[in-house]
């Protein structure tokens, strides 16, 4: 089923367009967005709200999420070649940075696979800084405000590659199954022995 992609805030999109404009060369293409920059006009596509999951091992309740920005895949005629992020500020939205690397291709791959699922979801990105992990968060409430919310137990998380050891990349997992696994990854192993 198709994903229900919510539009990014207009000021966030404008900030990315302005940043892209500062990198545009005379041919109308992006002068540089990493070594993989292709030919043709670069355009921001697939806006995804980027949420951060903090405190997954906290004993004071469920982990908290917060909106950290919006990420746009930067595409030319050959497909994605990078990403751009806009972040919230006291005055609205501002361009944050360009990025490239394995998460860009992994995001596109996860989105394509998610479109083949039998249920419609609202796609988001969920960063887990404690594990240096990024996931595609498939939120089951497709009408929810994309800037708010916490992963529901039945929502799906798709770890993007590279995923932490012991967590399979690109395999959709329910939040209530993956969250305990992520928490265990952060709990220190008990000492095998103590000095006498």
């Amino acid at each position: 089923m198709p994903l229900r992609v919510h539009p990014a805030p207009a000021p966030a999109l404008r900030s990315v367009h302005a940043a892209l404009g500062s990198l545009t060369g005379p041919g109308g293409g992006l002068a540089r967005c990493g070594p993989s920059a292709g030919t043709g006009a670069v355009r921001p596509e697939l806006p995804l709200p980027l949420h951060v999951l903090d405190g997954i091992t906290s004993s004071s309740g469920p982990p908290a999420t917060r909106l950290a920005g919006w990420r746009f895949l930067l595409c030319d005629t050959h497909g994605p070649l990078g990403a751009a992020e806009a972040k919230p500020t006291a005055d609205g939205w501002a361009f944050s940075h360009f990025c490239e690397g394995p998460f860009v291709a992994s995001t596109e791959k996860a989105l394509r696979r998610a479109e083949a699922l039998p249920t419609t979801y609202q796609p988001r990105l969920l960063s887990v800084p404690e594990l240096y992990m990024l996931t595609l968060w498939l939120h089951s409430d497709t009408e929810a405000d994309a800037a708010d919310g916490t992963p529901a137990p039945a929502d799906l998380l798709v770890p993007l590659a590279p995923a932490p050891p012991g967590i399979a990349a690109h395999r959709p997992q329910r939040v209530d199954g993956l969250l305990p696994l992520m928490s265990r990854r952060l709990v220190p192993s008990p000492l095998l022995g103590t000095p006498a």
Side-chain angles (χ1 to χ4, degrees):
M1 295 197 106
L3 297 173
R4 177 100 186 227
V5 179
H6 283 248
L13 180 58
R14 281 194 300 271
S15 74
V16 169
H17 276 293
L20 282 170
S22 70
L23 294 177
T24 302
L30 187 65
R32 175 154 168 77
C33 184
S36 60
T39 58
V42 175
R43 61 204 176 279
E45 295 183 353
L46 292 169
L48 296 172
L50 174 62
H51 293 260
V52 175
L53 184 69
D54 291 315
I56 63 174
T57 59
S58 173
S59 60
S60 62
T65 58
R66 60 184 165 80
L67 180 68
W70 281 79
R71 179 175 286 188
F72 301 81
L73 289 183
L74 299 176
C75 301
D76 67 5
T77 56
H78 302 290
L81 52 92
E85 285 186 20
K87 64 180 180 179
T89 67
D91 298 326
W93 290 90
F95 170 75
S96 175
H97 62 278
F98 291 112
C99 52
E100 60 181 347
F103 286 137
V104 174
S106 187
T107 300
E108 183 200 25
K109 180 178 180 178
L111 285 166
R112 275 187 282 130
R113 288 185 174 182
E115 287 179 338
L117 293 172
T119 305
T120 301
Y121 292 98
Q122 181 192 107
R124 304 171 173 199
L125 291 173
L126 185 66
S127 173
V128 186
E130 293 165 288
L131 288 172
Y132 305 102
M133 179 179 178
L134 186 64
T135 71
L136 177 64
W137 169 14
L138 299 174
H139 193 43
S140 56
D141 184 355
T142 60
E143 299 301 320
D145 183 342
D148 295 326
T150 302
D155 286 356
L156 296 180
L157 295 177
V158 183
L160 301 181
I167 297 176
H170 295 288
R171 194 177 95 201
Q173 299 179 59
R174 284 175 45 121
V175 167
D176 58 4
L178 185 58
L179 203 55
L181 178 61
M182 292 189 309
S183 297
R184 284 194 299 275
R185 297 282 310 144
L186 290 171
V187 175
S189 299
L191 296 175
L192 295 175
T194 54

